[in-house]
Amino acid sequence: MKIVVIAPNWVGDMMMTQSLFRTLKVLYPNIIIDVMASNWCYELLKKMPEVHDYILMPLNHGSLAFFQRHKIGINLRHKNYDKAYILPNSFKSALIPFFANIPLRIGWCGENRYWLINDMRVLKSIAFPQMVQRYVALAYPKDLVNNADSIPKPILWPKISVSDSEKIKSKKKFYVSNKLPIIGICPGSGAGLAKCWPYYHYAKLTELLYSIYGYQILIFGSKLDYDIGYAIWKLLSLNCQYHCLNLVGKTTLNEAVNLLASCVAVVTNDSGLMHIAAALNIPIIALYGPTNPNFTPPLSNKVKIIHIAINNDKKRIVKINRNNIYHKSLIDIKPAQVINELINLLELENCNHNESINYKNIING
Protein backbone atom coordinates (compact mmCIF):
# COMPACT_ATOMS: atom_id res chain seq x y z
CA MET A 1 0.00 0.00 0.00
CA LYS A 2 1.20 3.48 -0.87
CA ILE A 3 -0.18 6.56 0.86
CA VAL A 4 0.40 10.28 1.11
CA VAL A 5 -0.22 12.34 4.25
CA ILE A 6 -1.12 16.02 3.93
CA ALA A 7 0.63 17.31 7.02
CA PRO A 8 -0.21 20.19 9.37
CA ASN A 9 1.85 23.36 9.38
CA TRP A 10 2.96 23.60 13.03
CA VAL A 11 5.99 21.91 14.61
CA GLY A 12 4.03 20.41 17.50
CA ASP A 13 1.27 19.09 15.25
CA MET A 14 3.87 17.70 12.86
CA MET A 15 5.48 15.78 15.72
CA MET A 16 2.12 14.30 16.73
CA THR A 17 1.54 13.05 13.18
CA GLN A 18 4.32 10.54 13.82
CA SER A 19 1.88 8.66 16.06
CA LEU A 20 -0.25 8.14 12.95
CA PHE A 21 2.80 7.04 10.93
CA ARG A 22 3.87 4.56 13.62
CA THR A 23 0.35 3.15 13.91
CA LEU A 24 0.04 2.68 10.14
CA LYS A 25 3.39 0.86 10.09
CA VAL A 26 2.11 -1.60 12.70
CA LEU A 27 -1.19 -2.15 10.90
CA TYR A 28 0.41 -2.41 7.44
CA PRO A 29 4.12 -3.36 7.78
CA ASN A 30 4.82 -2.93 4.06
CA ILE A 31 3.12 0.45 3.74
CA ILE A 32 4.96 3.27 1.96
CA ILE A 33 4.32 6.63 3.62
CA ASP A 34 5.02 9.87 1.76
CA VAL A 35 4.37 13.22 3.41
CA MET A 36 3.45 16.52 1.77
CA ALA A 37 4.58 19.39 3.99
CA SER A 38 6.17 22.82 4.08
CA ASN A 39 9.88 23.26 3.48
CA TRP A 40 10.79 23.68 7.16
CA CYS A 41 9.39 20.20 7.94
CA TYR A 42 11.97 18.36 5.86
CA GLU A 43 14.65 18.19 8.55
CA LEU A 44 12.13 16.89 11.07
CA LEU A 45 10.69 14.28 8.73
CA LYS A 46 14.20 12.98 8.01
CA LYS A 47 14.39 11.89 11.65
CA MET A 48 11.18 9.83 11.37
CA PRO A 49 12.09 6.35 10.09
CA GLU A 50 8.49 5.64 9.06
CA VAL A 51 8.55 8.31 6.34
CA HIS A 52 9.61 7.10 2.89
CA ASP A 53 9.61 10.35 0.92
CA TYR A 54 8.98 14.04 1.35
CA ILE A 55 6.90 16.13 -1.06
CA LEU A 56 7.33 19.87 -0.85
CA MET A 57 4.19 21.94 -0.39
CA PRO A 58 5.28 25.08 -2.30
CA LEU A 59 2.24 27.21 -1.40
CA ASN A 60 1.90 29.58 1.53
CA HIS A 61 -0.07 28.39 4.55
CA GLY A 62 -2.96 30.83 4.09
CA SER A 63 -3.17 30.74 0.30
CA LEU A 64 -6.07 29.03 -1.50
CA ALA A 65 -4.21 29.06 -4.85
CA PHE A 66 -6.85 26.84 -6.46
CA PHE A 67 -5.24 26.48 -9.87
CA GLN A 68 -1.78 25.81 -8.42
CA ARG A 69 -3.25 23.06 -6.22
CA HIS A 70 -4.95 21.62 -9.29
CA LYS A 71 -1.60 21.48 -11.09
CA ILE A 72 0.18 19.90 -8.09
CA GLY A 73 -2.55 17.27 -7.84
CA ILE A 74 -2.28 16.36 -11.52
CA ASN A 75 1.51 16.05 -11.16
CA LEU A 76 1.02 13.54 -8.32
CA ARG A 77 -1.17 11.17 -10.31
CA HIS A 78 1.76 9.12 -11.58
CA LYS A 79 2.64 8.14 -8.00
CA ASN A 80 -0.49 5.97 -7.84
CA TYR A 81 -1.30 6.50 -4.19
CA ASP A 82 -3.92 4.19 -2.70
CA LYS A 83 -4.91 6.52 0.14
CA ALA A 84 -4.49 10.09 1.30
CA TYR A 85 -4.74 11.21 4.93
CA ILE A 86 -5.68 14.89 5.13
CA LEU A 87 -4.80 16.11 8.62
CA PRO A 88 -5.57 19.85 8.46
CA ASN A 89 -9.28 20.63 8.61
CA SER A 90 -9.23 23.30 5.91
CA PHE A 91 -10.99 23.11 2.55
CA LYS A 92 -7.83 23.88 0.60
CA SER A 93 -5.83 21.05 2.22
CA ALA A 94 -8.18 18.49 0.64
CA LEU A 95 -7.90 19.83 -2.91
CA ILE A 96 -4.58 18.27 -3.94
CA PRO A 97 -5.51 14.64 -3.06
CA PHE A 98 -8.81 15.14 -4.91
CA PHE A 99 -7.10 16.47 -8.03
CA ALA A 100 -4.54 13.65 -7.78
CA ASN A 101 -7.39 11.13 -8.19
CA ILE A 102 -6.37 9.25 -5.05
CA PRO A 103 -9.07 6.58 -4.58
CA LEU A 104 -9.52 6.85 -0.80
CA ARG A 105 -9.23 10.26 0.86
CA ILE A 106 -9.51 10.18 4.65
CA GLY A 107 -10.01 13.09 7.03
CA TRP A 108 -12.18 14.77 9.62
CA CYS A 109 -15.14 16.86 8.58
CA GLY A 110 -13.86 20.39 8.13
CA GLU A 111 -14.63 23.44 6.01
CA ASN A 112 -17.42 22.23 3.68
CA ARG A 113 -15.26 19.63 1.98
CA TYR A 114 -17.78 16.77 1.78
CA TRP A 115 -17.23 16.23 -1.94
CA LEU A 116 -13.42 16.25 -1.56
CA ILE A 117 -13.10 13.58 1.14
CA ASN A 118 -14.79 10.23 0.55
CA ASP A 119 -13.95 8.69 3.94
CA MET A 120 -15.28 11.50 6.11
CA ARG A 121 -15.08 11.30 9.90
CA VAL A 122 -17.38 13.50 12.00
CA LEU A 123 -15.45 14.86 14.95
CA LYS A 124 -16.99 15.11 18.40
CA SER A 125 -14.44 16.88 20.55
CA ILE A 126 -15.59 15.15 23.72
CA ALA A 127 -15.03 11.74 22.09
CA PHE A 128 -11.43 12.54 21.13
CA PRO A 129 -10.17 15.08 23.71
CA GLN A 130 -6.54 14.92 22.55
CA MET A 131 -5.10 15.93 19.18
CA VAL A 132 -2.96 12.79 18.96
CA GLN A 133 -6.08 10.63 19.39
CA ARG A 134 -7.69 12.39 16.43
CA TYR A 135 -4.69 11.66 14.23
CA VAL A 136 -4.33 8.02 15.28
CA ALA A 137 -8.06 7.32 14.92
CA LEU A 138 -7.75 7.97 11.16
CA ALA A 139 -5.56 4.87 10.83
CA TYR A 140 -8.54 2.65 11.66
CA PRO A 141 -11.87 2.08 9.89
CA LYS A 142 -14.38 4.60 11.21
CA ASP A 143 -16.87 1.90 12.25
CA LEU A 144 -14.24 0.39 14.58
CA VAL A 145 -13.02 3.58 16.28
CA ASN A 146 -15.63 6.13 17.31
CA ASN A 147 -14.06 7.47 20.51
CA ALA A 148 -10.71 7.59 22.29
CA ASP A 149 -11.49 4.52 24.41
CA SER A 150 -11.92 2.37 21.31
CA ILE A 151 -8.42 3.17 19.97
CA PRO A 152 -6.18 0.13 20.56
CA LYS A 153 -3.72 0.78 23.39
CA PRO A 154 -1.07 1.82 23.92
CA ILE A 155 -1.08 4.73 21.50
CA LEU A 156 2.34 4.90 19.89
CA TRP A 157 3.81 8.26 20.85
CA PRO A 158 6.24 10.19 18.64
CA LYS A 159 9.76 8.84 18.90
CA ILE A 160 12.90 10.18 17.24
CA SER A 161 16.56 9.59 17.94
CA VAL A 162 19.81 11.45 17.36
CA SER A 163 23.17 9.74 16.88
CA ASP A 164 26.20 10.62 18.98
CA SER A 165 27.97 11.90 15.88
CA GLU A 166 25.09 14.32 15.16
CA LYS A 167 25.23 15.61 18.74
CA ILE A 168 29.01 16.06 18.60
CA LYS A 169 28.87 17.87 15.26
CA SER A 170 26.24 20.37 16.42
CA LYS A 171 27.93 20.94 19.78
CA LYS A 172 31.22 21.67 18.06
CA LYS A 173 29.62 24.13 15.67
CA PHE A 174 28.17 26.21 18.49
CA TYR A 175 31.06 25.71 20.94
CA VAL A 176 28.96 23.90 23.51
CA SER A 177 31.15 22.77 26.38
CA ASN A 178 31.37 19.12 27.40
CA LYS A 179 32.43 20.04 30.95
CA LEU A 180 29.00 20.84 32.37
CA PRO A 181 25.64 19.07 31.93
CA ILE A 182 23.16 20.99 29.79
CA ILE A 183 19.68 22.25 30.55
CA GLY A 184 17.71 23.53 27.58
CA ILE A 185 15.13 26.28 27.83
CA CYS A 186 12.55 27.04 25.14
CA PRO A 187 11.06 30.44 26.01
CA GLY A 188 9.20 31.20 22.79
CA SER A 189 5.93 30.13 21.23
CA GLY A 190 4.43 30.33 17.79
CA ALA A 191 1.27 31.75 19.36
CA GLY A 192 2.98 34.80 20.89
CA LEU A 193 3.55 35.92 24.48
CA ALA A 194 0.18 34.67 25.72
CA LYS A 195 1.66 31.16 25.90
CA CYS A 196 5.08 32.26 27.22
CA TRP A 197 6.48 32.14 30.73
CA PRO A 198 7.85 35.67 31.35
CA TYR A 199 11.43 36.28 30.20
CA TYR A 200 12.46 37.57 33.64
CA HIS A 201 11.36 34.24 35.21
CA TYR A 202 13.46 32.38 32.66
CA ALA A 203 16.41 34.66 33.47
CA LYS A 204 16.08 33.96 37.21
CA LEU A 205 15.82 30.23 36.54
CA THR A 206 18.90 30.35 34.31
CA GLU A 207 20.91 32.21 36.93
CA LEU A 208 20.01 29.65 39.60
CA LEU A 209 20.68 26.67 37.37
CA TYR A 210 24.20 27.88 36.73
CA SER A 211 25.25 29.58 39.97
CA ILE A 212 23.81 27.04 42.42
CA TYR A 213 23.29 23.86 40.47
CA GLY A 214 26.24 23.96 38.09
CA TYR A 215 24.50 23.60 34.73
CA GLN A 216 25.20 25.32 31.46
CA ILE A 217 22.11 26.60 29.67
CA LEU A 218 21.14 26.58 26.00
CA ILE A 219 18.33 28.90 24.89
CA PHE A 220 16.39 27.55 21.89
CA GLY A 221 13.93 29.21 19.54
CA SER A 222 13.21 30.47 16.05
CA LYS A 223 14.02 33.90 14.64
CA LEU A 224 10.58 35.02 15.82
CA ASP A 225 11.75 34.46 19.40
CA TYR A 226 14.92 36.55 19.08
CA ASP A 227 13.77 39.37 21.37
CA ILE A 228 12.81 36.92 24.13
CA GLY A 229 16.14 35.08 23.97
CA TYR A 230 18.11 38.32 24.06
CA ALA A 231 16.02 39.73 26.94
CA ILE A 232 16.78 36.62 29.02
CA TRP A 233 20.51 36.65 28.28
CA LYS A 234 20.80 40.40 28.95
CA LEU A 235 19.47 40.00 32.52
CA LEU A 236 22.12 37.43 33.45
CA SER A 237 25.30 38.11 35.41
CA LEU A 238 28.54 38.12 33.42
CA ASN A 239 29.55 34.72 34.77
CA CYS A 240 26.20 33.23 33.88
CA GLN A 241 26.25 34.80 30.42
CA TYR A 242 29.51 32.99 29.78
CA HIS A 243 27.83 29.64 30.56
CA CYS A 244 24.58 30.39 28.75
CA LEU A 245 24.39 30.17 24.97
CA ASN A 246 21.59 32.11 23.33
CA LEU A 247 20.94 30.04 20.21
CA VAL A 248 17.60 31.64 19.36
CA GLY A 249 17.37 32.08 15.60
CA LYS A 250 20.90 30.76 15.05
CA THR A 251 20.30 27.05 14.50
CA THR A 252 18.53 25.09 11.84
CA LEU A 253 15.70 22.90 13.09
CA ASN A 254 17.95 19.87 12.62
CA GLU A 255 20.69 21.44 14.75
CA ALA A 256 18.17 22.40 17.42
CA VAL A 257 16.98 18.79 17.60
CA ASN A 258 20.57 17.53 17.87
CA LEU A 259 21.33 19.96 20.68
CA LEU A 260 18.08 19.25 22.51
CA ALA A 261 19.09 15.59 22.45
CA SER A 262 22.28 16.61 24.28
CA CYS A 263 20.34 18.11 27.21
CA VAL A 264 19.70 16.32 30.50
CA ALA A 265 16.37 18.17 30.78
CA VAL A 266 14.32 20.91 29.14
CA VAL A 267 12.16 23.70 30.58
CA THR A 268 9.67 24.88 28.00
CA ASN A 269 6.46 26.68 27.17
CA ASP A 270 3.69 24.90 25.31
CA SER A 271 5.50 24.91 21.95
CA GLY A 272 6.70 22.81 19.06
CA LEU A 273 10.11 22.37 20.70
CA MET A 274 8.33 20.90 23.72
CA HIS A 275 6.90 18.15 21.51
CA ILE A 276 10.31 17.52 19.94
CA ALA A 277 11.88 17.16 23.40
CA ALA A 278 9.13 14.70 24.34
CA ALA A 279 9.83 12.63 21.22
CA LEU A 280 13.52 12.58 22.23
CA ASN A 281 12.48 11.16 25.63
CA ILE A 282 14.16 14.00 27.55
CA PRO A 283 12.84 14.98 31.03
CA ILE A 284 10.59 18.02 30.56
CA ILE A 285 9.11 20.74 32.73
CA ALA A 286 6.20 22.03 30.63
CA LEU A 287 4.74 25.42 31.56
CA TYR A 288 1.12 25.95 30.52
CA GLY A 289 -0.94 29.11 30.73
CA PRO A 290 -4.22 29.73 28.89
CA THR A 291 -3.94 26.67 26.64
CA ASN A 292 -5.38 23.34 27.72
CA PRO A 293 -2.62 20.92 28.76
CA ASN A 294 -5.02 18.01 28.21
CA PHE A 295 -5.47 18.73 24.48
CA THR A 296 -1.85 18.73 23.30
CA PRO A 297 0.30 17.52 26.21
CA PRO A 298 3.92 16.48 25.70
CA LEU A 299 3.67 12.77 24.91
CA SER A 300 6.21 11.28 27.28
CA ASN A 301 6.45 9.62 30.68
CA LYS A 302 9.21 12.02 31.71
CA VAL A 303 7.10 15.15 32.03
CA LYS A 304 5.95 17.43 34.81
CA ILE A 305 3.26 19.87 33.67
CA ILE A 306 2.87 23.06 35.71
CA HIS A 307 -0.43 24.82 35.12
CA ILE A 308 -2.24 27.36 37.28
CA ALA A 309 -5.85 27.89 36.23
CA ILE A 310 -7.16 31.48 36.30
CA ASN A 311 -10.96 31.79 36.28
CA ASN A 312 -11.32 35.57 36.56
CA ASP A 313 -11.19 37.12 33.09
CA LYS A 314 -10.10 40.49 34.46
CA LYS A 315 -6.96 38.99 35.95
CA ARG A 316 -5.85 37.00 32.93
CA ILE A 317 -3.72 39.52 31.05
CA VAL A 318 -0.97 41.55 32.71
CA LYS A 319 0.97 44.26 30.88
CA ILE A 320 4.59 44.35 32.11
CA ASN A 321 5.66 47.08 29.70
CA ARG A 322 4.85 48.25 26.19
CA ASN A 323 6.24 45.13 24.52
CA ASN A 324 5.50 42.43 27.09
CA ILE A 325 1.96 41.32 27.89
CA TYR A 326 1.72 37.99 29.70
CA HIS A 327 -1.00 35.71 30.98
CA LYS A 328 -1.31 35.84 34.76
CA SER A 329 -1.47 32.07 35.02
CA LEU A 330 2.11 32.00 33.69
CA ILE A 331 3.31 34.97 35.73
CA ASP A 332 2.14 33.15 38.87
CA ILE A 333 4.44 30.18 38.18
CA LYS A 334 7.57 31.13 40.11
CA PRO A 335 11.15 30.03 39.31
CA ALA A 336 11.46 28.35 42.73
CA GLN A 337 8.55 26.05 41.94
CA VAL A 338 9.98 25.22 38.52
CA ILE A 339 13.42 24.44 39.89
CA ASN A 340 12.04 22.19 42.63
CA GLU A 341 10.02 20.20 40.09
CA LEU A 342 13.04 20.03 37.80
CA ILE A 343 15.30 18.60 40.50
CA ASN A 344 12.64 16.05 41.47
CA LEU A 345 12.36 15.02 37.83
CA LEU A 346 16.13 14.65 37.49
CA GLU A 347 16.33 12.60 40.69
CA LEU A 348 13.62 10.29 39.37
CA GLU A 349 15.51 9.96 36.08
CA ASN A 350 18.66 9.05 38.00
CA CYS A 351 16.78 6.42 40.01
CA ASN A 352 15.52 4.89 36.80
CA HIS A 353 19.12 4.68 35.58
CA ASN A 354 20.36 3.24 38.90
CA GLU A 355 22.65 6.17 39.48
CA SER A 356 23.55 7.40 42.95
CA ILE A 357 23.73 11.16 42.45
CA ASN A 358 21.53 13.03 44.92
CA TYR A 359 20.73 16.39 43.38
CA LYS A 360 19.20 17.80 46.56
CA ASN A 361 22.35 17.04 48.51
CA ILE A 362 24.40 18.79 45.82
CA ILE A 363 22.13 21.81 46.00
CA ASN A 364 22.10 22.01 49.77
CA GLY A 365 25.84 21.40 49.95
Side-chain angles (χ1 to χ4, degrees):
M1 185 191 302
K2 189 176 183 182
I3 70 162
V4 62
V5 176
I6 309 300
N9 203 50
W10 298 97
V11 172
D13 292 351
M14 175 58 74
M15 283 308 313
M16 285 183 282
T17 63
Q18 195 188 13
S19 289
L20 171 62
F21 305 158
R22 294 188 67 195
T23 302
L24 288 169
K25 275 291 188 181
V26 170
L27 294 175
Y28 313 102
N30 295 321
I31 195 171
I32 296 173
I33 301 174
D34 292 350
V35 179
M36 173 170 280
S38 302
N39 186 52
W40 62 263
C41 296
Y42 177 64
E43 293 178 331
L44 205 53
L45 290 170
K46 282 197 302 183
K47 294 187 180 296
M48 299 182 185
E50 302 82 12
V51 176
H52 170 261
D53 198 9
Y54 162 79
I55 303 168
L56 173 64
M57 165 57 77
L59 304 175
N60 294 330
H61 172 58
S63 172
L64 174 60
F66 184 88
F67 294 106
Q68 290 94 322
R69 291 177 192 274
H70 180 260
K71 182 177 179 180
I72 293 169
I74 291 174
N75 289 338
L76 287 181
R77 290 179 182 178
H78 73 280
K79 290 184 175 287
N80 297 315
Y81 290 117
D82 300 294
K83 296 181 182 180
Y85 291 83
I86 300 108
L87 302 188
N89 289 326
S90 63
F91 171 83
K92 59 183 178 291
S93 64
L95 287 171
I96 291 175
F98 176 79
F99 291 137
N101 289 341
I102 298 173
L104 190 58
R105 303 179 298 279
I106 303 165
W108 293 104
C109 179
E111 297 177 345
N112 297 318
R113 53 189 193 170
Y114 296 94
W115 55 283
L116 298 176
I117 295 179
N118 54 13
D119 185 353
M120 179 76 74
R121 316 293 175 91
V122 178
L123 176 62
K124 295 180 180 179
S125 298
I126 195 171
F128 297 97
Q130 292 188 342
M131 177 70 80
V132 69
Q133 295 165 347
R134 299 174 187 183
Y135 288 160
V136 171
L138 296 177
Y140 299 95
K142 60 182 174 182
D143 56 337
L144 295 182
V145 174
N146 51 29
N147 58 52
D149 291 336
S150 59
I151 298 175
K153 305 297 187 297
I155 288 179
L156 300 174
W157 287 340
K159 182 179 180 182
I160 58 177
S161 60
V162 174
S163 68
D164 288 340
S165 61
E166 288 176 302
K167 294 178 189 177
I168 291 169
K169 182 179 179 180
S170 293
K171 288 171 75 174
K172 281 185 176 180
K173 178 176 178 178
F174 294 99
Y175 303 100
V176 178
S177 171
N178 291 313
K179 294 180 180 180
L180 298 176
I182 306 167
I183 299 287
I185 64 172
C186 306
S189 169
L193 291 180
K195 291 173 65 175
C196 294
W197 199 40
Y199 73 92
Y200 50 86
H201 282 348
Y202 270 114
K204 179 64 174 179
L205 176 72
T206 299
E207 195 77 49
L208 292 172
L209 285 171
Y210 165 67
S211 62
I212 299 178
Y213 309 150
Y215 290 103
Q216 61 179 318
I217 312 299
L218 302 185
I219 309 177
F220 295 97
S222 71
K223 292 179 180 179
L224 296 176
D225 306 318
Y226 176 83
D227 289 344
I228 301 174
Y230 180 71
I232 294 169
W233 188 84
K234 190 177 179 181
L235 283 180
L236 304 177
S237 66
L238 289 177
N239 254 354
C240 189
Q241 285 180 348
Y242 182 75
H243 291 90
C244 174
L245 287 179
N246 178 16
L247 300 176
V248 175
K250 298 176 182 177
T251 67
T252 64
L253 184 57
N254 183 61
E255 290 164 344
V257 174
N258 295 343
L259 292 169
L260 280 169
S262 304
C263 296
V264 298
V266 171
V267 180
T268 176
N269 302 326
D270 174 17
S271 67
L273 290 176
M274 175 190 74
H275 290 284
I276 291 174
L280 289 165
N281 205 31
I282 301 167
I284 298 169
I285 300 294
L287 308 173
Y288 276 78
T291 53
N292 182 359
N294 297 318
F295 180 49
T296 55
L299 301 173
S300 168
N301 291 318
K302 299 180 180 180
V303 175
K304 172 62 181 179
I305 292 174
I306 303 178
H307 178 231
I308 300 175
I310 298 291
N311 296 320
N312 189 336
D313 286 346
K314 294 180 180 179
K315 293 184 177 179
R316 288 185 175 183
I317 302 298
V318 177
K319 186 173 183 179
I320 304 302
N321 54 44
R322 186 176 63 182
N323 297 317
N324 294 287
I325 301 175
Y326 292 104
H327 200 273
K328 191 173 189 300
S329 61
L330 284 160
I331 294 174
D332 287 349
I333 300 172
K334 304 304 180 185
Q337 179 185 2
V338 173
I339 210 140
N340 285 335
E341 296 290 0
L342 176 60
I343 297 309
N344 289 336
L345 198 62
L346 288 170
E347 283 191 329
L348 180 62
E349 179 74 356
N350 273 336
C351 290
N352 291 338
H353 285 85
N354 297 316
E355 294 178 0
S356 60
I357 299 175
N358 187 313
Y359 282 88
K360 287 185 178 177
N361 285 345
I362 293 174
I363 295 166
N364 295 330

